Amino acid sequence: MAGAASRPRTAGSARERRRLPLPVRLLAMLCAFTFMVAFAVVLARLTLQPSPASEALTHTNLHPGRSLRAYLDQPELRDAVRQIGGNILLGVPFGVLVPVVAPRTRGILRVLLLTAVVMLLVEFAQGALVTGRAFDIDDVILNTAGALIGYLLLGRRLSRVVHARGPRGGRAGRKPAPGKS
């Protein structure tokens, strides 16, 4: 405790981070944007590709947990892991890349809300437009959980590095307004 009291402390030092040079920040954002576009292409191919052979097997699921129970009731654990794990993995890139590409989406609630909205739109498109595919609320939940994992493991840190706030002129660093002291 005595060691902490003897260290000099600047205003806001715990929250301030050194800013990356602008070219490095722009390159990081460009790379994240490129990966986001690639992710969107993969997402579209995986979710919006017709599956006529599955048409008789598909059904809309509006009850959270129903599909999860069906996955877990399958005789092969590998099939359940592939279904559940695949849906979780599909959301991870979203949680990593969104806060880097769009700094205003930083924050756990914003990332979760944006992911849920995007995944709901994908599921609606699947159910309404794609043969052999159906809307499944459990897919939205699993994708959003994957985004949460991606955000907590990497997205939050990457976003803080790329979009670090510069030094602030807090009360201690500000000059008083003219005529006031």
Side-chain angles (χ1 to χ4, degrees):
M1 190 80 160
S6 64
R7 275 185 271 160
R9 194 171 168 113
T10 59
S13 64
R15 295 195 55 96
E16 290 178 12
R17 298 191 191 286
R18 218 163 103 189
R19 281 193 118 154
L20 291 175
L22 183 61
V24 175
R25 289 175 50 213
L26 291 175
L27 180 63
M29 288 179 66
L30 180 64
C31 287
F33 181 76
T34 303
F35 285 126
M36 185 62 93
V37 170
F39 167 66
V41 169
V42 169
L43 179 67
R45 285 187 141 199
L46 290 174
T47 59
L48 300 176
Q49 194 168 34
S51 179
S54 303
E55 195 167 0
L57 304 172
T58 59
H59 60 282
T60 297
N61 174 30
L62 300 174
H63 302 282
R66 184 177 283 172
S67 293
L68 292 174
R69 277 191 298 278
Y71 297 151
L72 294 172
D73 287 343
Q74 293 180 11
E76 290 288 326
L77 178 64
R78 179 180 43 147
D79 294 334
V81 168
R82 189 168 55 208
Q83 284 289 335
I84 295 169
N87 276 311
I88 289 172
L89 285 176
L90 206 55
V92 170
F94 212 76
V96 172
L97 297 172
V98 163
V100 176
V101 172
R104 289 186 179 215
T105 61
R106 286 196 307 188
I108 199 164
L109 292 177
R110 288 179 181 163
V111 169
L112 291 178
L113 182 63
L114 183 61
T115 302
V117 167
V118 168
M119 296 308 173
L120 276 168
L121 291 173
V122 169
E123 287 294 320
F124 282 134
Q126 269 186 302
L129 305 173
V130 184
T131 304
R133 301 282 186 163
F135 178 89
D136 190 341
I137 193 66
D138 288 334
D139 289 353
V140 175
I141 293 168
L142 292 170
N143 296 152
T144 305
L148 173 65
I149 291 167
Y151 177 75
L152 292 175
L153 292 179
L154 197 56
R156 178 177 49 179
R157 288 179 187 90
L158 278 177
S159 178
R160 285 181 180 166
V161 168
V162 174
H163 301 291
R165 293 187 173 113
R168 292 187 198 167
R171 290 183 186 204
R174 251 190 254 158
K175 293 181 184 178
K180 295 185 180 182
S181 25

